[in-house]
Amino acid sequence: MSLNWKDPTVLHHCGRAYLMIAHFVSGMYIWEFMVTFGFDWAVLRRKRSLTFGTLLYILPRYTSLLVVIIILRTSNVFSSSVDCKTWIHVQFAAAFGTVGMTSGILYIRICALSGNHKAVKYGMGLSYLGYWGLVAYSAYQPSGYYVETLYACSPADVSVHRATEIYMFCFDLCCLSIALGCLIRVHRGGSLARFLINQGIVYFVCICAAYLITLIFTLLDLNDPMTASSGVVGVFLMTICSTRMQRQLLEYFDDPKIDINTIIVTDVRSPGLVQATVTTYAKTAMSSTSVDYALSKDVLESCETCVFRFYILVYTY
């Protein structure tokens, strides 16, 4: 006998499961936010420059925090007079906005890894614009209603953004494929797996995996609580992975106010030229106050690992 996922009793239990999952991942994100708040605090105290790359890191963190606050509010509703529909709209708008910004981090990363290749830059750029169009459309599609037995607002009509989920997953998967292709193409000796891990490819994989889980539940369309449960998990996992990847790049330099306009990087497809350029820059930086000697020495000793970080930094800033 097959389970009827639309049965009121099943819906009630799925609703409870959604609340438990939402509270768990919210707590997980709050922990992640607190243990990494030192970077934000350094920006607030102006010890780090507020650059474009820093904004890419900060914005999805705080929109995700807004999602946490809304989840806590909609999970503790003790009166039917609360406008659940508006609260759910705001929750989904913040969640989709967060996902859009995390994918923006991936887009900038692949532009850097591809050596600013026109096909990647403009092709994926146009796709990213379409991405935001679907985000704007889907953010306000789901509705919400009050569930008296759960004392909470429950999302409804979540499956209406099925097309958006498919598009977003394909975009992130393309970013992963391009990043893998670029890194494998320029890898020279040593462990390929370790090289890919050092370049943050694990974060790409985790983001795609998180989106795949969300997409599967959206396509299955068992019921609204089940679809929403996978969605809230996916949003926080994507935020954590993408912001960690971005922070890893920003923290690579001891002095975040380094003038990246002085960095000259040649075609990434010519490893010999890239290494010579980075080495020349590193030697010059030894006598400069913008970069300390230890960091410059690291560049000289491991150009193969550092070249991508230099190259990516130009675009993330």
Side-chain angles (χ1 to χ4, degrees), residues 92-141:
F92 273 84
F96 275 108
T98 299
V99 172
M101 285 182 279
T102 59
S103 293
I105 293 175
L106 302 186
Y107 167 66
I108 291 177
R109 183 99 180 213
I110 62 170
C111 284
L113 287 174
S114 66
N116 202 25
H117 195 282
K118 289 184 179 180
V120 174
K121 182 178 179 180
Y122 296 112
M124 295 299 292
L126 289 174
S127 299
Y128 186 61
L129 290 177
Y131 189 116
W132 273 103
L134 286 173
V135 166
Y137 170 78
S138 300
Y140 295 97
Q141 291 303 308

Side-chain angles (χ1 to χ4, degrees), residues 61-103:
R61 277 171 58 85
Y62 285 88
T63 52
S64 292
L65 189 62
L66 176 61
V67 175
V68 170
I69 294 172
I70 296 174
I71 286 175
L72 295 177
R73 176 65 185 95
T74 55
S75 300
N76 298 276
V77 181
F78 303 102
S79 173
S80 59
S81 61
V82 174
D83 188 359
C84 286
K85 184 176 181 179
T86 300
W87 278 106
I88 295 298
H89 276 319
V90 176
Q91 177 181 329
F92 273 84
F96 275 108
T98 299
V99 172
M101 285 182 279
T102 59
S103 293

Side-chain angles (χ1 to χ4, degrees), residues 152-166:
C153 292
S154 177
D157 303 325
V158 180
S159 60
V160 296
H161 49 73
R162 185 181 294 117
T164 305
E165 298 282 359
I166 296 173

Side-chain angles (χ1 to χ4, degrees), residues 8 37 78 108-109 115 129 213 242 265-266 268 275 310:
F37 185 71
F78 303 102
I108 291 177
R109 183 99 180 213
L129 290 177
I213 294 172
S242 62
V265 182
T266 52
V268 73
Q275 182 172 344
F310 271 102

Side-chain angles (χ1 to χ4, degrees), residues 155-222:
D157 303 325
V158 180
S159 60
V160 296
H161 49 73
R162 185 181 294 117
T164 305
E165 298 282 359
I166 296 173
Y167 188 94
M168 290 178 171
F169 173 74
C170 291
F171 180 89
D172 291 348
L173 187 61
C174 286
C175 289
L176 170 62
S177 302
I178 293 171
L180 271 174
C182 292
L183 291 173
I184 293 174
R185 183 181 59 183
V186 298
H187 176 251
R188 297 292 186 276
S191 171
L192 176 60
R194 184 176 179 180
F195 177 70
L196 294 177
I197 291 172
N198 288 338
Q199 297 303 322
I201 205 68
V202 172
Y203 294 122
F204 276 85
V205 174
C206 290
I207 290 170
C208 288
Y211 228 123
L212 179 61
I213 294 172
T214 302
L215 179 61
I216 290 172
F217 276 91
T218 302
L219 294 176
L220 289 175
D221 192 21
L222 301 175

